[in-house]
Amino acid sequence: KAGVTQTPRYLIKTRGQQVTLSCSPISGHRSVSWYQQTPGQGLQFLFEYFSETQRNKGNFPGRFSGRQFSNSRSEMNVSTLELGDSALYLCASSGRTGTTGELFFGEGSRLTVL
Amino acid sequence: GENVEQHPSTLSVQEGDSAVIKCTYSDSASNYFPWYKQELGKRPQLIIDIRSNVGEKKDQRIAVTLNKTAKHFSLHITETQPEDSAVYFCAAPPSGGSYIPTFGRGTSLIVHP
């Protein structure tokens, strides 16, 4: 079974630009969640999608958005990039519909904003 | 929402020593407490989890203990090895209708050979 796949793995943008990141979950998993990881800040939750619906959203500005397609693949978009958006963006999929269960993470997309 | 505090943020031990990482949480009605390990440059992966109907769970050199009354749970690693060096994250159950656990800020464990 293929794991969670994220693309691109690395990207460099400049302030003011926008970026789209993609996440393909494990086959059969319907829940996809996104996290921002920066040194010392742990895993900051961005949002979670289930069956194309956003179920939960973290405390990030509206410049951060996402969506999920009918095949469960998900994208997140960050508009008007700021230097502080430089981070590793991780997505995770889960096969459980309830409140417990293992999260399977992708290897992440490392974004550098210059 | 849930508030998870994880300590220490950095832990340095000699190979063969034991390491303990502790997390406290504020409130939850759920019963699932996982621990994730993230090696340098790699993805976080689940290493052990515990449900509230047990107080301790072991898997070879790692164990997790849970005290629901005091609202804390701990990861114990015995006979540490250099390959145990990584960042460890605890997670507490979601609350308030959320389906996503809240993660601690992570503990960077360094095992010196």
Side-chain angles (χ1 to χ4, degrees), chain A residues 4 33 35 37 40-43 45 48 55-56 88 90 96-103 105-107, chain B residues 30-32 36 38 41-46 51 87 89 93-94 97-101 103-106:
Chain A
V4 178
S33 50
Y35 301 84
Q37 186 174 29
Q41 293 300 311
L43 298 167
F45 170 67
E48 185 239 357
R55 282 203 299 196
N56 296 281
L88 179 67
L90 292 162
R96 297 290 296 269
T97 57
T99 56
T100 64
E102 180 176 0
L103 296 177
F105 286 87
E107 293 191 339
Chain B
S30 190
N31 63 351
Y32 178 68
Y36 288 81
Q38 185 178 28
K42 297 191 176 180
R43 69 189 79 192
Q45 290 187 297
L46 179 73
R51 297 182 186 272
V87 178
F89 294 97
S98 169
Y99 291 87
I100 298 298
F103 285 89
R105 289 196 170 192

Side-chain angles (χ1 to χ4, degrees), chain B residues 11-101:
Chain B
L11 181 58
S12 182
V13 300
Q14 289 296 129
E15 183 176 0
D17 288 350
S18 295
V20 181
I21 303 169
K22 182 177 177 179
C23 286
T24 60
Y25 61 100
S26 57
D27 185 31
S28 174
S30 190
N31 63 351
Y32 178 68
F33 302 86
W35 285 88
Y36 288 81
K37 175 184 180 182
Q38 185 178 28
E39 297 178 13
L40 187 62
K42 297 191 176 180
R43 69 189 79 192
Q45 290 187 297
L46 179 73
I47 55 170
I48 195 168
D49 54 23
I50 191 169
R51 297 182 186 272
S52 61
N53 56 344
V54 296
E56 182 177 10
K57 181 178 179 181
K58 289 184 179 179
D59 183 3
Q60 299 182 342
R61 295 186 297 106
I62 62 172
V64 57
T65 57
L66 171 64
N67 185 327
K68 285 209 76 175
T69 302
K71 294 179 185 166
H72 66 72
F73 56 111
S74 299
L75 178 70
H76 304 255
I77 306 175
T78 58
E79 300 174 28
T80 53
Q81 300 169 4
E83 52 264 38
D84 294 329
S85 296
V87 178
Y88 293 81
F89 294 97
C90 64
S95 62
S98 169
Y99 291 87
I100 298 298

Side-chain angles (χ1 to χ4, degrees), chain A residues 40-93:
Chain A
Q41 293 300 311
L43 298 167
Q44 300 290 305
F45 170 67
L46 283 155
F47 26 66
E48 185 239 357
Y49 288 87
F50 182 84
S51 293
E52 302 180 66
T53 300
Q54 186 182 87
R55 282 203 299 196
N56 296 281
K57 189 176 188 304
N59 295 322
F60 278 82
R63 300 185 297 107
F64 292 80
S65 62
R67 59 178 175 169
Q68 187 181 34
F69 302 95
S70 58
N71 61 358
S72 292
R73 187 178 71 86
S74 178
E75 289 182 347
M76 68 164 282
N77 183 277
V78 187
S79 62
T80 319
L81 284 166
E82 301 176 359
L83 295 179
D85 296 334
S86 294
L88 179 67
Y89 290 88
L90 292 162
C91 81
S93 75

